[in-house]
Amino acid sequence: MRRVLIDTHIHLDAKAYADDWPAVLDRAVEAGVAHVVTPATTLESARRLLKMASEDDRVRPAVGVHPHEAGSWCAEQLAELSELVERAVAVGEIGLDFHYDFAAPEQQLCCLRAQLDVAREHSLPVILHCREAEESLYEELRRARLPAGGVVHCFTGGWEWAERFLELGYFLGITGMVTFPKLADIHEVARRIPLERLLLETDGPYLAPIPFRGKRNEPGYVPLIASRVAELRGVDSEQVARATSASANRLFARQ
Ligand SMILES: [Zn+2]
Ligand SMILES: [Zn+2]
């Protein structure tokens, strides 16, 4: 049986794909990856992705402002975002990043809260970025009570935080980092998470899995991530593919 996987997080509007993104998607389909969910980082990025989606139905866009860009967040952006989400499968990529601090924590919180409200109003799921900010993000999500839930993507917070986000009803995203040796925290999450709560993602263009580490990442590499997760859990990758794709289709059901 042919595997049908989904890349639930790739920045397909990144410069790295500007010249050949349709070919990148062709290679993905050949590798068994049916479509991709592409989160935006800014409203400009959101408009680019919506255009790409109108040209290619393998592109499922999410619309949102990344915490790195929260410094420029303002009321006009909120108005435009509320319009753009009508054509999106999720609100994202939103969240908190206290590692890089490109924007002040208060600005990040303000930007996140406004976008969680948009997700609630439109009953859309959220795609969440979280770096060294688990406690604050958890509190925001607990208060927000979003009807459609969402995913904490590229989860690196360790098993204790994983359990708490799972209790809140969120999915967790695992990237090609799971193929890197020594990342015991990520391996543990990949082993212990209920399979139906796991989503696979490349987070391209970065974080290419082994044996492509350091090169441009592509959605066609999702099978390598599925295989490594299957190996860690002692199941076959067919089972991982089926469960994670069913979850992705359920969460991003609008299109
Ligand atoms: Zn991210
Ligand atoms: Zn991202």
Side-chain angles (χ1 to χ4, degrees):
M1 195 173 78
R2 186 151 172 74
R3 288 188 299 188
V4 177
L5 289 153
I6 295 162
D7 186 350
T8 62
H9 196 112
I10 177 165
H11 295 280
L12 202 62
D13 66 318
K15 277 201 184 72
Y17 304 116
D19 294 335
D20 67 341
W21 65 267
V24 167
L25 292 178
D26 291 344
R27 278 198 292 281
V29 169
E30 262 164 51
V33 179
H35 65 259
V36 301
V37 177
T38 57
T41 51
T42 62
L43 291 188
E44 195 191 338
S45 156
R47 286 189 291 266
R48 269 198 305 269
L49 289 167
L50 289 168
K51 181 167 182 291
M52 289 160 79
S54 72
E55 293 164 7
D56 193 320
D57 65 5
R58 296 172 295 186
V59 178
R60 313 281 164 95
V63 164
V65 174
H66 193 282
H68 288 168
E69 310 289 340
S72 60
W73 178 254
C74 61
E76 290 79 58
Q77 295 213 0
L78 180 59
E80 190 182 351
L81 182 86
S82 303
E83 253 173 62
L84 296 180
V85 289
E86 297 289 343
R87 290 181 286 148
V89 297
V91 175
E93 167 170 4
I94 63 175
L96 297 171
D97 193 317
F98 297 161
H99 176 76
Y100 283 113
D101 276 342
F102 286 140
E106 315 81 69
Q107 284 175 314
Q108 293 191 37
L109 278 165
C110 169
C111 180
L112 171 64
R113 285 174 186 151
Q115 296 185 92
L116 291 175
D117 287 344
V118 171
R120 189 185 311 96
E121 280 158 26
H122 293 262
S123 291
L124 279 170
V126 285
I127 298 173
L128 298 154
H129 173 100
C130 181
R131 187 104 190 258
E132 292 174 20
E134 283 76 14
E135 188 152 6
S136 301
L137 183 66
Y138 178 85
E139 269 313 304
E140 294 303 318
L141 295 178
R142 197 180 56 78
R143 275 201 293 260
R145 294 175 167 275
L146 298 185
V151 55
V152 185
H153 102 93
C154 191
F155 190 77
T156 54
W159 178 246
E160 274 179 34
W161 277 114
E163 272 190 304
R164 298 191 65 188
F165 285 109
L166 291 169
E167 274 163 27
L168 271 189
Y170 282 79
F171 291 84
L172 301 180
I174 293 264
T175 66
M177 282 166 87
V178 76
T179 68
F180 302 170
K182 297 183 194 156
L183 295 182
D185 276 1
I186 291 175
H187 297 162
E188 185 182 14
V189 171
R191 251 194 321 269
R192 296 179 71 171
I193 183 173
L195 198 50
E196 68 278 6
R197 302 292 290 285
L198 172 67
L199 299 181
L200 304 180
E201 56 166 302
T202 58
D203 202 11
Y206 306 110
L207 296 177
I210 286 173
F212 302 107
R213 193 171 180 176
K215 304 215 171 77
R216 182 180 75 164
N217 202 353
E218 292 203 6
Y221 299 160
V222 172
L224 297 168
I225 303 169
S227 300
R228 181 63 182 136
V229 168
E231 185 181 52
L232 285 162
R233 299 175 71 95
V235 299
D236 68 51
S237 50
E238 185 62 42
Q239 201 181 329
V240 173
R242 226 181 301 121
T244 55
S245 296
S247 298
N249 282 325
R250 215 166 47 239
L251 183 63
F252 303 115
R254 177 172 277 191
Q255 288 182 14

Short mmCIF file of all heavy atoms in Angstrom, two decimals, residues 46-75:
data_model
loop_
_atom_site.label_atom_id
_atom_site.label_comp_id
_atom_site.label_asym_id
_atom_site.label_seq_id
_atom_site.Cartn_x
_atom_site.Cartn_y
_atom_site.Cartn_z
N ALA A 46 1.91 35.68 4.33
CA ALA A 46 0.56 35.10 4.22
C ALA A 46 -0.03 35.33 2.83
O ALA A 46 -0.59 34.41 2.22
CB ALA A 46 -0.35 35.70 5.29
N ARG A 47 0.13 36.55 2.31
CA ARG A 47 -0.40 36.85 0.97
C ARG A 47 0.30 36.01 -0.09
O ARG A 47 -0.34 35.51 -1.01
CB ARG A 47 -0.24 38.35 0.66
CG ARG A 47 -1.23 39.23 1.42
CD ARG A 47 -1.19 40.67 0.92
NE ARG A 47 0.06 41.33 1.26
CZ ARG A 47 0.26 42.10 2.33
NH1 ARG A 47 -0.72 42.29 3.18
NH2 ARG A 47 1.42 42.65 2.56
N ARG A 48 1.62 35.84 0.07
CA ARG A 48 2.37 34.99 -0.87
C ARG A 48 1.83 33.56 -0.86
O ARG A 48 1.60 32.94 -1.90
CB ARG A 48 3.85 34.93 -0.46
CG ARG A 48 4.74 35.98 -1.07
CD ARG A 48 6.22 35.60 -0.98
NE ARG A 48 6.69 35.29 0.36
CZ ARG A 48 7.22 36.18 1.20
NH1 ARG A 48 7.35 37.45 0.84
NH2 ARG A 48 7.63 35.82 2.40
N LEU A 49 1.61 33.03 0.35
CA LEU A 49 1.17 31.63 0.47
C LEU A 49 -0.25 31.45 -0.07
O LEU A 49 -0.56 30.43 -0.68
CB LEU A 49 1.24 31.20 1.94
CG LEU A 49 2.67 31.02 2.47
CD1 LEU A 49 2.68 30.91 3.99
CD2 LEU A 49 3.32 29.79 1.84
N LEU A 50 -1.11 32.44 0.16
CA LEU A 50 -2.48 32.33 -0.36
C LEU A 50 -2.46 32.32 -1.89
O LEU A 50 -3.23 31.60 -2.53
CB LEU A 50 -3.34 33.49 0.17
CG LEU A 50 -3.70 33.39 1.66
CD1 LEU A 50 -4.30 34.70 2.16
CD2 LEU A 50 -4.67 32.24 1.93
N LYS A 51 -1.54 33.10 -2.47
CA LYS A 51 -1.42 33.09 -3.93
C LYS A 51 -0.92 31.73 -4.41
O LYS A 51 -1.44 31.16 -5.38
CB LYS A 51 -0.46 34.20 -4.37
CG LYS A 51 -0.29 34.30 -5.87
CD LYS A 51 0.40 35.59 -6.27
CE LYS A 51 0.52 35.71 -7.79
NZ LYS A 51 1.48 34.73 -8.35
N MET A 52 0.09 31.20 -3.75
CA MET A 52 0.60 29.87 -4.11
C MET A 52 -0.50 28.82 -4.00
O MET A 52 -0.64 27.93 -4.85
CB MET A 52 1.80 29.50 -3.22
CG MET A 52 3.05 30.32 -3.52
SD MET A 52 4.27 30.32 -2.16
CE MET A 52 5.03 28.73 -2.41
N ALA A 53 -1.32 28.94 -2.95
CA ALA A 53 -2.40 27.96 -2.74
C ALA A 53 -3.45 28.06 -3.85
O ALA A 53 -4.05 27.06 -4.24
CB ALA A 53 -3.05 28.19 -1.38
N SER A 54 -3.64 29.28 -4.37
CA SER A 54 -4.63 29.44 -5.44
C SER A 54 -4.11 28.83 -6.75
O SER A 54 -4.89 28.51 -7.65
CB SER A 54 -4.98 30.92 -5.64
OG SER A 54 -3.89 31.59 -6.24
N GLU A 55 -2.80 28.64 -6.84
CA GLU A 55 -2.20 28.05 -8.05
C GLU A 55 -1.97 26.55 -7.92
O GLU A 55 -1.77 25.86 -8.92
CB GLU A 55 -0.83 28.72 -8.33
CG GLU A 55 -0.95 30.18 -8.72
CD GLU A 55 0.39 30.91 -8.59
OE1 GLU A 55 1.43 30.26 -8.35
OE2 GLU A 55 0.38 32.15 -8.73
N ASP A 56 -1.93 26.04 -6.69
CA ASP A 56 -1.54 24.64 -6.48
C ASP A 56 -2.26 24.11 -5.24
O ASP A 56 -2.00 24.58 -4.14
CB ASP A 56 -0.01 24.59 -6.28
CG ASP A 56 0.53 23.17 -6.37
OD1 ASP A 56 -0.13 22.25 -5.85
OD2 ASP A 56 1.61 23.00 -6.96
N ASP A 57 -3.14 23.12 -5.44
CA ASP A 57 -3.94 22.66 -4.29
C ASP A 57 -3.17 21.74 -3.34
O ASP A 57 -3.73 21.27 -2.35
CB ASP A 57 -5.27 22.04 -4.74
CG ASP A 57 -5.07 20.77 -5.55
OD1 ASP A 57 -3.92 20.31 -5.69
OD2 ASP A 57 -6.08 20.23 -6.04
N ARG A 58 -1.89 21.53 -3.61
CA ARG A 58 -1.06 20.81 -2.63
C ARG A 58 -0.59 21.74 -1.51
O ARG A 58 -0.02 21.29 -0.52
CB ARG A 58 0.16 20.18 -3.33
CG ARG A 58 -0.22 19.12 -4.35
CD ARG A 58 0.97 18.66 -5.16
NE ARG A 58 1.51 19.73 -6.00
CZ ARG A 58 2.49 19.56 -6.89
NH1 ARG A 58 3.03 18.37 -7.05
NH2 ARG A 58 2.92 20.58 -7.63
N VAL A 59 -0.83 23.05 -1.69
CA VAL A 59 -0.41 24.05 -0.70
C VAL A 59 -1.61 24.42 0.16
O VAL A 59 -2.61 24.94 -0.34
CB VAL A 59 0.14 25.31 -1.40
CG1 VAL A 59 0.53 26.37 -0.38
CG2 VAL A 59 1.32 24.95 -2.30
N ARG A 60 -1.53 24.15 1.46
CA ARG A 60 -2.61 24.50 2.41
C ARG A 60 -2.07 25.58 3.35
O ARG A 60 -1.29 25.28 4.26
CB ARG A 60 -3.04 23.27 3.21
CG ARG A 60 -3.26 22.01 2.37
CD ARG A 60 -4.61 22.05 1.66
NE ARG A 60 -4.67 21.06 0.59
CZ ARG A 60 -5.19 19.84 0.71
NH1 ARG A 60 -5.67 19.46 1.87
NH2 ARG A 60 -5.23 19.02 -0.31
N PRO A 61 -2.46 26.82 3.13
CA PRO A 61 -1.83 27.92 3.86
C PRO A 61 -2.42 28.18 5.25
O PRO A 61 -3.61 28.03 5.46
CB PRO A 61 -2.11 29.12 2.95
CG PRO A 61 -3.39 28.77 2.27
CD PRO A 61 -3.44 27.27 2.14
N ALA A 62 -1.55 28.57 6.16
CA ALA A 62 -1.97 29.14 7.44
C ALA A 62 -1.55 30.60 7.45
O ALA A 62 -0.58 30.97 6.77
CB ALA A 62 -1.33 28.39 8.60
N VAL A 63 -2.28 31.41 8.19
CA VAL A 63 -2.06 32.84 8.16
C VAL A 63 -1.81 33.33 9.59
O VAL A 63 -2.60 33.06 10.49
CB VAL A 63 -3.31 33.53 7.55
CG1 VAL A 63 -3.31 35.00 7.85
CG2 VAL A 63 -3.37 33.28 6.05
N GLY A 64 -0.68 34.02 9.79
CA GLY A 64 -0.39 34.53 11.12
C GLY A 64 0.92 35.29 11.15
O GLY A 64 1.66 35.32 10.15
N VAL A 65 1.19 35.90 12.29
CA VAL A 65 2.42 36.67 12.47
C VAL A 65 3.28 35.97 13.53
O VAL A 65 2.85 35.74 14.67
CB VAL A 65 2.11 38.13 12.88
CG1 VAL A 65 3.38 38.90 13.21
CG2 VAL A 65 1.34 38.83 11.75
N HIS A 66 4.49 35.62 13.13
CA HIS A 66 5.44 34.87 13.96
C HIS A 66 5.92 35.74 15.14
O HIS A 66 6.04 36.96 14.99
CB HIS A 66 6.64 34.50 13.06
CG HIS A 66 7.56 33.49 13.64
ND1 HIS A 66 8.49 33.79 14.61
CD2 HIS A 66 7.71 32.16 13.38
CE1 HIS A 66 9.18 32.69 14.92
NE2 HIS A 66 8.71 31.69 14.17
N PRO A 67 6.20 35.12 16.29
CA PRO A 67 6.67 35.93 17.44
C PRO A 67 7.92 36.75 17.15
O PRO A 67 8.09 37.83 17.73
CB PRO A 67 6.93 34.88 18.53
CG PRO A 67 6.91 33.54 17.85
CD PRO A 67 6.04 33.71 16.65
N HIS A 68 8.78 36.30 16.23
CA HIS A 68 9.96 37.11 15.87
C HIS A 68 9.55 38.45 15.25
O HIS A 68 10.33 39.39 15.26
CB HIS A 68 10.83 36.37 14.84
CG HIS A 68 11.57 35.21 15.43
ND1 HIS A 68 12.21 34.28 14.66
CD2 HIS A 68 11.78 34.83 16.71
CE1 HIS A 68 12.77 33.37 15.45
NE2 HIS A 68 12.52 33.69 16.69
N GLU A 69 8.34 38.50 14.68
CA GLU A 69 7.87 39.70 13.98
C GLU A 69 6.89 40.51 14.84
O GLU A 69 6.27 41.45 14.36
CB GLU A 69 7.15 39.30 12.67
CG GLU A 69 7.92 38.34 11.80
CD GLU A 69 9.13 38.99 11.14
OE1 GLU A 69 9.16 40.22 11.05
OE2 GLU A 69 10.05 38.24 10.75
N ALA A 70 6.74 40.11 16.10
CA ALA A 70 5.71 40.71 16.95
C ALA A 70 5.95 42.19 17.22
O ALA A 70 5.02 42.93 17.57
CB ALA A 70 5.60 39.95 18.27
N GLY A 71 7.18 42.65 17.03
CA GLY A 71 7.50 44.06 17.26
C GLY A 71 6.74 44.99 16.34
O GLY A 71 6.49 46.15 16.68
N SER A 72 6.34 44.50 15.17
CA SER A 72 5.62 45.36 14.22
C SER A 72 4.11 45.14 14.27
O SER A 72 3.37 45.67 13.45
CB SER A 72 6.13 45.09 12.80
OG SER A 72 5.91 43.74 12.46
N TRP A 73 3.65 44.37 15.23
CA TRP A 73 2.23 44.06 15.34
C TRP A 73 1.41 45.33 15.64
O TRP A 73 1.80 46.13 16.48
CB TRP A 73 2.01 43.04 16.46
CG TRP A 73 0.57 42.71 16.67
CD1 TRP A 73 -0.23 43.12 17.70
CD2 TRP A 73 -0.26 41.92 15.81
NE1 TRP A 73 -1.50 42.63 17.53
CE2 TRP A 73 -1.54 41.89 16.38
CE3 TRP A 73 -0.03 41.24 14.60
CZ2 TRP A 73 -2.60 41.20 15.79
CZ3 TRP A 73 -1.08 40.55 14.02
CH2 TRP A 73 -2.34 40.54 14.62
N CYS A 74 0.29 45.51 14.94
CA CYS A 74 -0.56 46.68 15.19
C CYS A 74 -2.00 46.37 14.77
O CYS A 74 -2.27 45.33 14.16
CB CYS A 74 -0.03 47.88 14.42
SG CYS A 74 -0.04 47.59 12.65
N ALA A 75 -2.89 47.30 15.07
CA ALA A 75 -4.32 47.07 14.83
C ALA A 75 -4.64 46.86 13.35
O ALA A 75 -5.52 46.07 13.01
CB ALA A 75 -5.13 48.26 15.38
#
